[in-house]
Amino acid sequence: GAVVSQHPSWVICKSGTSVKIECRSLDFQATTMFWYRQFPKQSLMLMATSNEGSKATYEQGVEKDKFLINHASLTLSTLTVTSAHPEDSSFYICSARDTSGGRQWQFFGPGTRLTVL
Amino acid sequence: QKEVEQNSGPLSVPEGAIASLNCTYSDRGSQSFFWYRQYSGKSPELIMFIYSNGDKEDGRFTAQLNKASQYVSLLIRDSQPSDSATYLCAVRYGGGSEKLVFGKGTKLTVNP
């Protein structure tokens, strides 16, 4: 149980275009999902906390107008990178917390590798 | 600022040996501690979690927590080449927050 999927697994786009990444919890409901970004040889950096039915909470330094997050249901959160530029190329990973049974840890999706040309 | 520190390594051990990975954290209010394993190009997967002082064992893995010293470690016994990966220490600081703060990870190489 506790499977998180992401789509697409990789995407290549031209500079200036927008890219949408989906994160789904497949066998549990997640009121909260998290979006991370990881640059090569760096650790995971939390970008934002996605809350079902309300606005996302962004970490300091993350542009909310550039990284649009929508958490429309208990199993789906989307991250849209608007007007992507080469410096946005990174590995984007979502996670969801399965609180059933008192569990407190986050399960990660497989990640989406974004390359902006 | 809440920080999690790890020795970036690389840590190299021979097959069958014990690998010891260490992590320190800055905030005494921390409540939950996690070890994730990340293979190159993949997303992290949970290895161990620990909430209370002392040791917690799961198969070849043992997590150790010392809240007084703000220190958490992961021991891998009988290391295998398949254990070669980057190990991320993550801390949940509590206070109602569900956020995790990750260390930069320690790259482990197990040599056959």
Side-chain angles (χ1 to χ4, degrees):
Chain A
V3 178
V4 178
S5 70
Q6 272 184 253
H7 177 80
S9 56
W10 60 269
V11 57
I12 301 173
C13 69
K14 293 182 178 180
S15 184
T17 60
S18 294
V19 175
K20 179 185 282 188
I21 302 170
E22 292 185 349
C23 177
R24 294 181 184 272
S25 56
L26 297 185
D27 51 0
F28 67 100
Q29 293 183 329
T31 56
T32 303
M33 293 184 175
F34 303 89
W35 288 96
Y36 295 84
R37 181 168 51 181
Q38 187 177 35
F39 292 107
K41 300 190 186 300
Q42 299 291 319
S43 189
L44 277 73
M45 294 301 295
L46 180 65
M47 298 175 66
T49 302
S50 173
N51 304 298
E52 187 269 335
S54 64
K55 291 183 178 181
T57 305
Y58 290 82
E59 295 300 299
Q60 190 174 8
V62 178
E63 300 175 58
K64 62 178 69 176
D65 294 330
K66 181 171 181 62
F67 299 99
L68 302 178
I69 291 173
N70 184 288
H71 194 153
S73 76
L74 288 171
T75 59
L76 173 63
S77 175
T78 60
L79 169 68
T80 300
V81 183
T82 63
S83 187
H85 291 284
E87 58 266 30
D88 298 322
S89 298
S90 188
F91 192 39
Y92 291 85
I93 312 172
C94 72
S95 73
R97 187 174 169 215
D98 178 12
T99 56
S100 62
R103 291 188 285 190
Q104 298 186 39
W105 53 89
Q106 296 179 20
F107 291 92
F108 285 86
T112 297
R113 192 162 300 281
L114 171 63
T115 301
V116 185
L117 302 177
Chain B
Q1 185 174 353
K2 297 178 173 59
E3 296 181 345
V4 177
E5 299 288 339
Q6 290 182 257
N7 187 329
S8 61
L11 174 66
S12 184
V13 300
E15 183 174 356
I18 296 175
S20 177
L21 305 163
N22 304 315
C23 172
T24 59
Y25 57 95
S26 62
D27 194 289
R28 287 192 176 275
S30 305
Q31 296 184 343
S32 311
F33 307 86
F34 306 86
W35 283 99
Y36 286 87
R37 177 174 63 196
Q38 186 176 27
Y39 292 111
S40 181
K42 303 295 184 181
S43 68
E45 56 178 322
L46 182 69
I47 298 296
M48 292 282 291
F49 63 91
I50 187 166
Y51 306 140
S52 304
N53 274 328
D55 295 0
K56 180 181 179 181
E57 187 175 319
D58 184 0
R60 296 187 296 113
F61 300 95
T62 299
Q64 299 175 318
L65 174 61
N66 184 326
K67 288 188 176 181
S69 300
Q70 297 174 233
Y71 173 92
V72 58
S73 66
L74 178 70
L75 299 178
I76 307 174
R77 290 182 300 281
D78 189 22
S79 295
Q80 302 296 309
S82 58
D83 294 327
S84 299
T86 296
Y87 289 80
L88 302 170
C89 173
V91 177
R92 179 168 166 254
Y93 279 94
S97 173
E98 299 182 35
K99 295 192 295 187
L100 295 179
V101 178
F102 282 84
K104 291 185 177 181
T106 298
K107 185 173 182 179
L108 171 67
T109 300
V110 180
N111 301 304

